[in-house]
Amino acid sequence: MILLRALLGEVLRERRQELGMTLREVSADARVSLGYISEIERGQKEASSECLGAISGAVDLPLSELMSRLSDAIAEEESQSTAEVESRAVVAELPRETRAAVVSDVAA
Amino acid sequence: MILLRALLGEVLRERRQELGMTLREVSADARVSLGYISEIERGQKEASSECLGAISGAVDLPLSELMSRLSDAIAEEESQSTAEVESRAVVAELPRETRAAVVSDVAA
């Protein structure tokens, strides 16, 4: 299952690094505690709407653009999950010996 | 300030109504309590990532598409806020008497 907060954290970290900002700087600009921002970036805490608004201001990215980047990041994960499910389905239809060979190849 | 949860609630409600589903049906499919879903739709509670994943499945909308719709809804609010700020700036530069007339016109 795709976890929104994990991908949101990645998008926020990427944006911060694009700007060359430190966590401490974002924390000061957004007036959000360093610990909280750090947990959000690591996908360990949900960000409240107020907090996300403040962070989006601090990293100079409109909320709409933040959500658009998040949507792209999720779409990428979704297509990977689909590819995994599809390749598992293909493998499942192979004759037993070939299947074993493919599975051991993939595992190698 | 644009509140993410308010717009998320609107997007979710629109999607549910597109499908002609009741809150009770979404609640049962998503295995999320009726009260919680109802509060999320009204923008009164933040939705956890797990909960959003479950709701997105129940209303048959990939998370990426949900975030994309949310991004569009926010962009619309952002352009309205910008227009408001700009028109306020224009009004502020008018001579005092014209300004008073415009403000009372807008308030009417």
Side-chain angles (χ1 to χ4, degrees), chain A residues 29-71:
Chain A
D29 282 9
R31 301 187 181 203
V32 173
S33 84
L34 188 62
Y36 188 23
I37 288 201
S38 159
E39 285 186 304
I40 289 171
E41 269 200 6
R42 282 179 282 129
Q44 292 175 346
K45 273 255 166 74
E46 303 283 351
S48 72
S49 296
E50 286 81 0
C51 177
L52 258 187
I55 296 178
S56 117
V59 298
D60 201 23
L61 198 67
L63 267 181
S64 58
E65 175 58 24
L66 184 61
M67 288 304 113
S68 167
R69 291 186 182 198
L70 181 56
S71 168

Side-chain angles (χ1 to χ4, degrees), chain A residues 3-13 26 30 32-56 63 66-67 70, chain B residues 1-6 8 36 43-50 52 67 70:
Chain A
L3 264 192
L4 205 68
R5 64 174 171 275
L7 294 175
L8 176 65
E10 286 176 20
V11 168
L12 286 173
R13 168 166 294 159
V26 176
V32 173
S33 84
L34 188 62
Y36 188 23
I37 288 201
S38 159
E39 285 186 304
I40 289 171
E41 269 200 6
R42 282 179 282 129
Q44 292 175 346
K45 273 255 166 74
E46 303 283 351
S48 72
S49 296
E50 286 81 0
C51 177
L52 258 187
I55 296 178
S56 117
L63 267 181
L66 184 61
M67 288 304 113
L70 181 56
Chain B
M1 185 184 176
I2 292 172
L3 265 192
L4 205 69
R5 63 174 171 276
L8 176 65
Y36 188 22
Q44 292 175 346
K45 273 257 166 73
E46 304 282 352
S48 73
S49 296
E50 286 81 0
L52 258 187
M67 289 303 113
L70 181 56

